[in-house]
Amino acid sequence: MYDLTDVLDFEALESVRPGSNILVSGPAMSGKEDLAMSMLADGAEHGQGSLIVTTGDRAENVLEDFLERAPDADESTVSVVDCRGDGSRRGEATATGSYVYHVSSPGDLTGIGIGITECLEYLHNNGAESGRFALTSLSTMLTYTDRKTVFKFCHVLSSRFDSAGYLGLFTIDSSAHDDQTLQVIKQAFDGMIEIREDEGRREARVLGLAGQPTEWQEF
Amino acid sequence: MTGSETPVVLIVEDEPDVAETYNLWLADDYEVRMAGSGDEGLAELDDEVDVVLLDRMMPGLSGDEVLERIRERGLDCRVAMVTAVEPDFDILEMGFDAYLCKPIRSQQLHETVENLLDRSAYDDLLQEYYSLVEKQATLEATKSSAELADNEEYLELRERVEELESELSDTLGGIDNDEDFIATLRGLGDVEE
C-alpha cells in the first residue's frame, strides 16, 4: 500500500492500493505538478523507485529539481522519460546513475511506452521493488493527440502499472479543457485529487479512492 | 477479431514442409490460410485475418517488407514474425507484435496465437469502452444530476461501462509483458471504428 498522507493529509490517501492511477486536476499554476513530484519524492526517500514522464521540462531540470526534493534518494532508482527529444528514441544512464530516455514528441506513444519499459527495467535491476510514476502533463499530450487516444493511453498505462504494482499520478490542467474532455479523461482513473485556489488559499479534495468525496481542505 | 467466428490465421512461409507443420498444429482450432511467398501473403490478406505468422527470410518480398505493407494498409491484424536469430531488446522498436525463433514447437505456436488474439480482444473492448465513456461524458456535461438520476438510458450506460471495465481487466489481467504493452500502445493511434 502507498501512504500519501505525508504530502497530503487525507484519510483516503493513507493506504492507496498498488496499481492505482490517480488524476491530479486543477487550474493553471495551482501546484498540481508540485504535488505530484512531492509524492514521488516522498516515495524515493523511502526507497521506492521513481519514474517521471515529462512533456514540458527538460530531463536535466526535472532530475535536478527532483533530487533537491529527495536528497536522500538513491539516484539509481530515479528515471525520467523526456518527451521533448531530438527526433530519435534513446536511453542512457546519467553520470550520477539515474536513467533518462528521450522521445521525440508527446504524441509518440510507442516511444513513450518503450521509455517506460526501459525505465521500469532499470529501476527493477537497481532494487526498486515498488515505485511511483508521474506524468506531467496530460494537457500537453492533448495538444498533440485527441482525447480518445489519450484516454486509451491512460488505460493501457494503468493496466501496466497494475501489473508492476506501481502508483501512477497524472496531472491535467482543468482550466485548459472543456467539461466533456475532463469527464472522459477522468474515467480512465481510479481516483482523483482535485485542487482549487480560493482567495490565495490552496485547497484539495479526494474523489473516488475510498468512499465518498472528501471535503475541501487547505494544504 | 469478430466475436464467435473462428479466428483466421495466415501462414506466410516459403518452405512447404514448415508451413504444413504449422497448419497441422493449428488447423483444429483456427481457420488457416497458407501463402508460399510475400506476394501471395499480401494477396491472401483481408479484414478476416486475425493473426499473421510471417517468415522473415523469404526470397522475393521479405517479411520486413510484407510487414510494412500490412501496416500501410492499416489492417487490424496481429503479426508474429518468425526468425532464425534471437532478437535483441531493439525488437520493441519494430512494428510486429510478437516474434518466434525457429525451430518452433507446437505449444509455443499455440500460446503465441492465443496471446495475440487476446490482445485484439482487449483492443476491441477498449474501443467499445471508450465510445460508451464518451456518451456518458456527453450526458454528464449537458444534464443536471437530477435529470441523470431519472434517465433510463444514462443508467443503462453506466451499468454497461462498469461491466466493460471488469471485462477489460479480465482480458489481459494487467499488461505484465513489455511486448504486449508496446504492441497495445502501438495500436492505439491507428485503429478507428
Side-chain angles (χ1 to χ4, degrees):
Chain A
M1 291 292 178
Y2 291 94
D3 181 358
L4 305 175
T5 51
D6 281 347
V7 182
L8 201 58
D9 192 14
F10 280 100
E11 220 179 291
L13 298 178
E14 210 166 58
S15 52
V16 181
R17 196 180 58 81
S20 298
N21 275 277
I22 302 175
L23 185 65
V24 183
S25 163
M29 307 301 288
S30 59
K32 309 175 286 294
E33 301 193 2
D34 189 54
L35 191 67
M37 295 304 259
S38 298
M39 284 174 171
L40 254 63
D42 184 46
E45 296 265 296
H46 290 92
Q48 293 167 10
S50 308
L51 205 177
I52 303 152
V53 172
T54 166
T55 59
D57 294 323
R58 284 155 40 87
E60 299 91 282
N61 299 345
V62 172
L63 264 178
E64 198 182 333
D65 172 62
F66 188 78
L67 294 168
E68 269 173 31
R69 289 166 190 267
D72 293 329
D74 172 358
E75 290 186 43
S76 75
T77 57
V78 179
S79 61
V80 179
V81 177
D82 180 345
C83 301
R84 302 187 45 174
D86 53 8
S88 61
R89 295 169 179 170
R90 67 195 156 77
E92 60 192 358
T94 66
T96 55
S98 299
Y99 194 79
V100 174
Y101 191 90
H102 291 272
V103 184
S104 56
S105 124
D108 179 4
L109 305 186
T110 308
I112 295 172
I114 293 169
I116 289 172
T117 298
E118 288 198 14
C119 286
L120 284 175
E121 184 173 83
Y122 190 84
L123 299 177
H124 181 78
N125 289 343
N126 288 320
E129 277 163 22
S130 61
R132 304 181 186 192
F133 167 92
L135 184 146
T136 58
S137 87
L138 289 175
S139 294
T140 318
M141 290 194 79
L142 281 162
T143 64
Y144 281 81
T145 177
D146 59 302
R147 71 178 176 219
K148 177 178 180 179
T149 307
V150 171
F151 172 87
K152 293 205 231 163
F153 175 72
C154 291
H155 196 275
V156 175
L157 244 53
S158 111
S159 189
R160 181 75 187 92
F161 293 139
D162 207 13
S163 305
Y166 266 58
L167 172 75
L169 297 158
F170 297 68
T171 69
I172 191 163
D173 179 352
S174 56
S175 52
H177 312 287
D178 56 59
D179 273 1
Q180 193 174 355
T181 300
L182 291 170
Q183 286 289 357
V184 166
I185 299 294
K186 249 166 43 183
Q187 300 292 332
F189 292 88
D190 303 297
M192 178 158 90
I193 297 173
E194 204 174 349
I195 298 173
R196 70 175 181 193
E197 265 191 313
D198 192 27
E199 293 170 1
R201 293 186 319 165
R202 276 179 183 169
E203 295 181 320
R205 64 172 175 172
V206 180
L207 299 94
L209 283 176
Q212 296 296 308
T214 66
E215 297 294 319
W216 289 98
Q217 185 177 306
E218 198 173 348
F219 74 101
Chain B
M1 196 172 67
T2 40
S4 54
E5 289 162 46
T6 311
V8 178
V9 178
L10 170 62
I11 298 167
V12 186
E13 166 66 63
D14 64 313
E15 289 172 57
D17 291 351
V18 177
E20 190 48 42
T21 308
Y22 297 168
N23 180 29
L24 283 173
W25 286 340
L26 297 175
D28 284 347
D29 299 310
Y30 308 104
E31 183 188 329
V32 179
R33 296 184 195 177
M34 301 215 270
S37 71
D39 284 310
E40 272 181 48
L42 286 174
E44 286 289 337
L45 261 174
D46 55 34
D47 299 346
E48 312 270 288
V49 175
D50 298 295
V51 173
V52 183
L53 296 174
L54 186 57
D55 185 24
R56 203 165 176 190
M57 302 286 273
M58 289 182 293
L61 213 54
S62 78
D64 289 17
E65 285 166 310
V66 174
L67 177 63
E68 216 167 288
R69 304 276 179 88
I70 292 175
R71 294 307 183 213
E72 276 168 15
R73 273 161 69 174
L75 285 167
D76 184 18
C77 61
R78 297 296 188 175
V79 181
M81 200 68 115
V82 184
T83 66
V85 269
E86 186 84 41
D88 201 1
F89 203 58
D90 63 2
I91 56 119
L92 290 176
E93 298 269 356
M94 297 181 201
F96 52 84
D97 303 301
Y99 63 87
L100 285 160
C101 285
K102 285 183 175 178
I104 300 164
R105 292 184 313 275
S106 167
Q107 192 194 356
Q108 188 188 8
L109 192 65
H110 271 282
E111 278 169 10
T112 302
V113 172
E114 209 45 49
N115 181 310
L116 293 177
L117 290 171
D118 280 352
R119 216 184 287 159
S120 296
Y122 179 87
D123 284 358
D124 290 347
L125 279 175
L126 190 57
Q127 199 74 6
E128 187 188 351
Y129 180 52
Y130 178 80
S131 67
L132 294 186
V133 162
E134 177 94 13
K135 263 191 214 162
Q136 185 185 341
T138 309
L139 289 172
E140 283 173 2
T142 52
K143 305 243 186 260
S144 72
S145 30
E147 282 176 297
L148 288 176
D150 281 342
N151 187 306
E152 205 54 39
E153 188 200 0
Y154 174 72
L155 298 175
E156 275 170 27
L157 200 60
R158 272 190 42 176
E159 216 167 283
R160 181 67 187 135
V161 164
E162 274 168 34
E163 268 172 37
L164 276 172
E165 260 169 39
S166 68
E167 271 184 61
L168 269 168
S169 48
D170 288 349
T171 311
L172 290 186
I175 303 177
D176 59 356
N177 175 310
D178 291 342
E179 258 182 272
D180 285 358
F181 175 53
I182 304 296
T184 310
L185 283 180
R186 186 182 290 124
L188 288 191
D190 332 328
V191 191
E192 290 301 318
E193 72 250 57

